[in-house]
């Protein structure tokens, strides 16, 4: 949010916080370099999670380890060869500022529709990031659930005594 992206010489844009708020309920795909044949995840399939946070649009893709394209990209991200993101959307509401120097800046206030998010080699917004998380996060979730179950089981035993 609020970072300036140069679309062309003399034309810049930025996105306001909460701009994506109304656009996150649709069927959104996660892609590789905007390529619709390289689908990594999808909100409808619950293999893509998206939300806004204090920095911008946040997402998590649950990688299909049986998909060689997805695993190849995962390893590129893990190595740091690819480490940024982009997205495809339509604008619902924007402010356009015509500046004295002849340049134009548009501020996107509302994203009407978000179609896709993508791990990108050359993103429009340079401040984006992508990172590869290991299965460690899932292991932590499982361990936390296991500890919670054991704690509840012990509480139930004590209350029954």
């Amino acid at each position: 949010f609020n970072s300036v992206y140069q679309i062309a010489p003399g034309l810049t844009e930025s996105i306001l916080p909460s701009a994506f708020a109304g656009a996150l309920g649709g069927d959104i795909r996660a892609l590789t370099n905007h390529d619709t044949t390289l689908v990594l995840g999808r909100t409808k399939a619950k293999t893509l999670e998206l939300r806004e946070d204090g920095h911008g649009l946040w997402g998590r893709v649950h990688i299909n380890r049986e998909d060689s394209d997805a695993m190849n990209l995962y390893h590129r991200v893990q190595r740091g060869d690819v480490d940024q993101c982009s997205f495809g959307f339509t604008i619902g509401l924007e402010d356009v500022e015509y500046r004295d120097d002849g340049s134009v800046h548009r501020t996107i206030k509302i994203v009407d529709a978000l179609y896709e998010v993508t791990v990108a080699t050359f993103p429009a917004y340079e401040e984006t990031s992508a990172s590869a998380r290991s299965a460690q996060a899932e292991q932590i979730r499982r361990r936390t659930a296991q500890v919670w179950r054991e704690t509840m089981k012990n509480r139930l035993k004590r209350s029954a005594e």
Side-chain angles (χ1 to χ4, degrees):
F1 294 128
N2 297 318
S3 64
V4 176
Y5 159 62
Q6 184 172 334
I7 298 170
L11 177 60
T12 57
E13 79 177 15
S14 58
I15 301 175
L16 290 181
S18 299
F20 292 100
L24 295 178
D27 185 15
I28 304 161
R29 277 83 164 170
L31 306 176
T32 302
N33 284 317
H34 300 288
D35 185 338
T36 58
T37 65
L38 295 173
V39 178
L40 300 171
R42 188 173 177 178
T43 55
K44 179 179 169 183
K46 298 190 183 345
T47 54
L48 170 63
E49 299 172 50
L50 292 171
R51 68 174 182 260
E52 285 188 331
D53 65 15
H55 301 284
L57 187 60
W58 177 93
R60 175 184 295 148
V61 177
H62 301 279
I63 295 293
N64 176 359
R65 295 190 182 277
E66 302 298 316
D67 180 339
S68 60
D69 292 323
M71 290 307 297
N72 288 337
L73 176 63
Y74 175 82
H75 292 301
R76 287 183 187 102
V77 171
Q78 198 173 38
R79 286 171 29 120
D81 297 331
V82 180
D83 64 355
Q84 293 171 298
C85 299
S86 189
F87 38 85
F89 64 98
T90 55
I91 298 169
L93 181 63
E94 67 182 345
D95 282 339
V96 179
E97 177 187 353
Y98 299 93
R99 299 179 173 166
D100 293 338
D101 64 1
S103 66
V104 177
H105 179 79
R106 70 181 189 183
T107 303
I108 299 170
K109 299 171 94 174
I110 297 174
V111 170
D112 184 47
L114 178 63
Y115 301 105
E116 52 98 0
V117 295
T118 192
V119 178
T121 307
F122 296 105
Y125 285 86
E126 291 289 326
E127 294 178 20
T128 62
S129 65
S131 61
R133 303 291 173 120
S134 67
Q136 184 178 28
E138 183 59 32
Q139 291 170 349
I140 291 169
R141 276 194 286 278
R142 274 191 242 134
R143 178 67 182 139
T144 301
Q146 181 183 358
V147 168
W148 181 85
R149 281 192 298 274
E150 290 172 9
T151 302
M152 292 299 114
K153 196 183 303 182
N154 289 336
R155 283 185 185 170
L156 286 171
K157 282 182 184 177
R158 279 183 282 184
S159 66
E161 294 174 347

